[in-house]
Amino acid sequence: MNILITSAGQRVSLVRIFKKELMKMYPTGNVFTTDMCPHLSPACRVSDKSFQVKKVTDRGYIEELLNICLRYKIKMVIPTIDTELLELAYNKDKFACLGIHVVISSPGFVEKCRDKRKTNIFFQQHDIDIPRPIDKNNPSFPMFIKPYDGSLSADTFIIYKQEDIKKKYVEDERYLFMEYINKQEYDEYTVDMYYDRDSILKCLIPRKRLVIRAGEITKGITCKNSLVPFLKTHLEHIEGVTGCITAQFFLHKTEEHIMAIEINPRFGGGYPLSYHAGGNYPSWLFMEYFNNEHIQYYDKWQGNMLMLRYDDEVIVYEPNS
């Protein structure tokens, strides 16, 4: 049972986790990876084999992935970057007809996640508060600006006064204006959530975001707090959702108030913390999709587990390069 992790990049920990769990269940299985430049990808270097592929947005990308899967007997595809999610969701059935499981939610749900305007509507439909929108022509301060289709915290700004509002942000319909959530009053969390093939929530692990770099957590801690029962009640079933998704929330430090800001329908960069806390999502994927087993709701994961990430190296000697 071989698997493929696409756009592997620097996701060394994720590749190693999948290799470890696949080896336990299928000792002869391989974890393959793709990247535009696999020779410069540390995650590709630690996988069993890597493949160079086109840019995600290029014509023929899906056919290229399909051919790799068929040639190397790959039975599961794990996407990792936002730009490929919708394309893979639309083509999920094409892979399924060939016995290949693409672990991605439905196109309808992925579209909601990729457009933060639709994400806000989704949260409101599930009775979850969101930051208050602000009229850009009559603003109040401080406020937060972000593009509705952005990722990794790119092009996001805190605005404290009128003269800091650039004309291009007002004129560009991509930008959303909303209240700024004070970090002195609220803690920010990413929650790794696992949904089974019936779109039923089977595990959720909140990770407090202590330190962030380029939109990704570098220091965090798992927390068994009010987010757990709240999300189990409000998001126990989401039509079309499958596998791991990551959602971000603010939790008030002294009051039981929760606000939601976004969802990414994929494994997040900080997932290794949830894995080490007991959320063994790769193993559950193998159990469901390879062994046809039923996953029970799991809440025995470890709280107060701290992750301190650091930069490491993959050194490769290439005498003929």
Side-chain angles (χ1 to χ4, degrees), residues 112-147:
K112 292 175 184 177
C113 298
R114 295 294 294 136
D115 185 332
K116 292 178 175 58
R117 299 168 300 184
K118 296 180 180 179
T119 307
N120 287 341
I121 294 172
F122 167 83
F123 283 130
Q124 290 175 314
Q125 289 174 337
H126 287 79
D127 296 321
I128 302 175
D129 289 343
I130 59 172
R132 175 176 53 85
I134 288 179
D135 181 358
K136 60 186 176 183
N137 297 310
N138 186 28
S140 57
F141 304 96
M143 67 178 181
F144 191 69
I145 299 177
K146 67 179 180 181

Side-chain angles (χ1 to χ4, degrees), residues 271-291:
Y271 167 72
L273 173 55
S274 291
Y275 168 76
H276 289 290
N280 196 341
Y281 298 177
S283 178
W284 299 347
L285 289 174
F286 304 152
M287 291 167 64
E288 278 201 279
Y289 292 93
F290 294 165
N291 299 355

Side-chain angles (χ1 to χ4, degrees), residues 193-205:
M193 310 174 76
Y194 185 92
Y195 286 82
D196 68 8
R197 287 182 294 182
D198 296 321
S199 301
I200 303 298
L201 181 63
K202 296 299 179 179
C203 185
L204 67 156
I205 303 179

Side-chain angles (χ1 to χ4, degrees), residues 74-265:
I74 291 164
K75 297 300 182 184
M76 179 177 287
V77 178
I78 307 294
T80 66
I81 63 170
D82 294 333
T83 50
E84 67 183 340
L85 299 179
L86 198 52
E87 191 70 17
L88 283 170
Y90 281 128
N91 288 278
K92 184 176 181 177
D93 290 344
K94 185 181 293 187
F95 286 80
C97 288
L98 298 170
I100 304 163
H101 305 287
V102 180
V103 183
I104 185 67
S105 298
S106 68
F109 182 74
V110 175
E111 285 178 355
K112 292 175 184 177
C113 298
R114 295 294 294 136
D115 185 332
K116 292 178 175 58
R117 299 168 300 184
K118 296 180 180 179
T119 307
N120 287 341
I121 294 172
F122 167 83
F123 283 130
Q124 290 175 314
Q125 289 174 337
H126 287 79
D127 296 321
I128 302 175
D129 289 343
I130 59 172
R132 175 176 53 85
I134 288 179
D135 181 358
K136 60 186 176 183
N137 297 310
N138 186 28
S140 57
F141 304 96
M143 67 178 181
F144 191 69
I145 299 177
K146 67 179 180 181
Y148 71 77
D149 57 352
S151 62
L152 296 176
S153 298
D155 294 325
T156 62
F157 309 94
I158 303 172
I159 304 296
Y160 292 97
K161 53 186 183 298
Q162 182 70 47
E163 49 266 38
D164 291 337
I165 305 177
K166 295 182 180 180
K167 183 179 179 181
K168 65 178 181 179
Y169 300 135
V170 176
E171 295 178 345
D172 192 337
E173 295 298 324
R174 290 179 58 243
Y175 287 93
L176 304 178
F177 291 66
M178 64 194 68
E179 67 172 312
Y180 171 67
I181 307 303
N182 192 333
K183 301 295 180 64
Q184 301 300 315
E185 299 176 2
Y186 287 82
D187 290 320
E188 187 176 0
Y189 289 84
T190 296
V191 184
D192 292 318
M193 310 174 76
Y194 185 92
Y195 286 82
D196 68 8
R197 287 182 294 182
D198 296 321
S199 301
I200 303 298
L201 181 63
K202 296 299 179 179
C203 185
L204 67 156
I205 303 179
R207 303 183 269 108
K208 184 188 292 187
R209 294 159 64 93
L210 300 177
V211 178
I212 309 300
R213 182 174 67 182
E216 194 167 285
I217 187 172
T218 59
K219 294 178 175 61
I221 187 168
T222 58
C223 300
K224 289 195 169 185
N225 54 27
S226 58
L227 277 168
V228 176
F230 178 85
L231 295 178
K232 190 173 187 304
T233 298
H234 290 263
L235 298 177
E236 186 171 22
H237 174 263
I238 307 176
E239 189 64 36
V241 176
T242 187
C244 178
I245 68 171
T246 59
Q248 288 180 236
F249 300 90
F250 285 106
L251 174 62
H252 199 280
K253 292 178 182 289
T254 59
E255 302 172 8
E256 292 300 322
H257 184 228
I258 293 168
M259 282 191 285
I261 53 175
E262 67 177 60
I263 306 176
N264 293 304

Side-chain angles (χ1 to χ4, degrees), residues 4-5 8 31-35 37-39 41 43-53 68 72:
L4 178 67
I5 297 177
V31 175
F32 300 132
T33 52
T34 64
D35 199 85
C37 300
H39 65 292
S41 162
C44 285
R45 293 292 192 171
V46 302
S47 67
D48 292 307
K49 186 176 180 63
S50 62
F51 310 97
Q52 184 173 8
V53 294
I68 291 171
Y72 291 93

